[in-house]
Amino acid sequence: MSADLIEVNNYINTFAKLIYEHQARQYHGKLKVGVDLGTANIVLSVLDEFGNPVAGSLYPASVVKDGLVVDYVGAVRIVKELKRQVEELIGETLTYAATAVPPGTVGGNMKAISNVVESAGMEVVRVVDEPTAAASVLNVTDGAVVDVGGGTTGISILKNGEVIYTADEPTGGTHMSLVLAGYYKISFEEAEKLKKDPNRQKEIFPIVVPVIEKMASIVKRHIEGHDIDKIFLVGGACCFAGFEKVFLKQIGIETIKPVHPLLVTPLGIGLFS
């Protein structure tokens, strides 16, 4: 593991500990706030003005689907609750925030995401695409960032620190759950719970490998013609141990997955606030 990746993992681990232990760190100066409205989870991140994690909160939810808000009232309620939790931890009101959308999101869909955050009591100061937000945490200036979410997989290609290509494909964790539901003859909701059970991951991973291989083939098609020597995986749906090895085998390009890939994009959104 490179020194850079160790540093990135330490940074992400700090944020993860704050979320899962419901803690906050002391800070100085202005706060940066990010709201990630994901298909499977909504995450609120708070950083200090230097980008150091201060606090955060997470809520599993299905109020957004493939970048579309399907339950506006529910989404606002969840963001308000996450905001309340963090404000209680840090003793300060959050008034500004950045948010993110899948690559290629335009018009009303982008506005709906912003409206959720603003209805929860925070003014949106920036909207960024999800893989670009992740790249800011990973310190990626050259390579491909692949954000494997619940409903879609976003792809951003960077050269010399600039995003030169983005795409969003309708494949993600939802498709794994559908395969598991069919294999075990259980409901989709039960399959979602099974997929997230760490004690069952070794058992179910071989069942979802064909879905991951399909994701890898899609990514391979998008990066063809670009001089890519590294692929960086983020997003909650790539949390399976060995996920990155499937990508490496299918694409033949070094594939890196940081710790807590679910939390990379929320951190990055906060950096853009």
Side-chain angles (χ1 to χ4, degrees):
M1 186 182 296
S2 70
D4 285 346
L5 186 57
I6 291 173
E7 186 176 342
V8 166
N9 282 343
N10 287 339
Y11 179 65
I12 301 167
N13 273 327
T14 298
F15 182 54
K17 184 176 181 180
L18 293 173
I19 286 183
Y20 297 126
E21 296 184 3
H22 306 289
Q23 296 178 347
R25 297 174 76 195
Q26 290 187 333
Y27 65 92
H28 301 284
K30 295 180 180 179
L31 293 174
K32 297 172 176 284
V33 180
V35 178
D36 185 7
L37 293 170
T39 299
N41 298 278
I42 295 179
V43 185
L44 188 147
S45 60
V46 180
L47 317 176
D48 67 17
E49 63 182 40
F50 305 106
N52 301 308
V54 172
S57 195
L58 178 151
Y59 191 96
S62 55
V63 294
V64 176
K65 183 178 180 181
D66 306 348
L68 306 177
V69 180
V70 296
D71 180 359
Y72 186 86
V73 174
V76 172
R77 176 182 56 79
I78 292 168
V79 176
K80 278 185 175 180
E81 175 58 21
L82 296 180
K83 178 175 181 285
R84 184 198 66 77
Q85 291 174 11
V86 171
E87 287 175 342
E88 194 172 272
L89 282 172
I90 65 176
E92 185 170 335
T93 301
L94 306 178
T95 54
Y96 300 96
T99 190
V101 294
T105 304
V106 295
N109 297 334
M110 183 180 293
K111 184 61 178 173
I113 295 287
S114 295
N115 285 345
V116 168
V117 179
E118 298 205 329
S119 294
M122 293 174 285
E123 181 181 338
V124 173
V125 294
R126 184 80 180 270
V127 180
V128 64
D129 76 82
E130 292 164 349
T132 301
S136 67
V137 174
L138 301 172
N139 298 320
V140 176
T141 56
D142 295 276
V145 177
V146 178
D147 190 338
V148 189
T152 65
T153 293
I155 304 153
S156 284
I157 297 176
L158 295 96
K159 291 289 183 185
N160 300 319
E162 297 290 329
V163 177
I164 62 169
Y165 178 86
T166 63
D168 197 49
E169 289 280 355
T171 182
T174 297
H175 300 79
M176 296 182 196
S177 297
L178 289 170
V179 168
L180 291 173
Y183 183 88
Y184 288 103
K185 296 179 173 56
I186 57 178
S187 69
F188 176 82
E189 289 72 23
E190 290 172 312
E192 277 281 291
K193 291 179 182 178
L194 174 62
K195 182 182 68 179
K196 296 175 182 178
D197 184 348
N199 297 318
R200 302 284 297 275
Q201 288 211 341
K202 284 187 177 180
E203 170 195 341
I204 66 177
F205 184 66
I207 302 167
V208 299
V209 162
V211 182
I212 302 171
E213 289 174 341
K214 179 63 175 177
M215 292 176 184
S217 68
I218 290 171
V219 171
K220 184 177 182 179
R221 172 167 52 84
H222 279 285
I223 66 176
E224 281 179 355
H226 297 279
D227 185 20
I228 303 295
D229 62 359
K230 285 187 179 67
I231 296 171
F232 298 85
L233 291 175
V234 299
C238 73
C239 288
F240 283 97
F243 192 107
E244 64 275 22
K245 294 178 182 177
V246 178
F247 263 59
L248 173 60
K249 184 177 179 180
Q250 288 291 114
I251 304 176
I253 294 174
E254 181 182 1
T255 303
I256 299 166
K257 184 180 70 176
V259 295
H260 303 292
L262 167 64
L263 301 179
V264 176
T265 300
L267 266 173
I269 297 170
L271 291 174
F272 279 91
S273 176

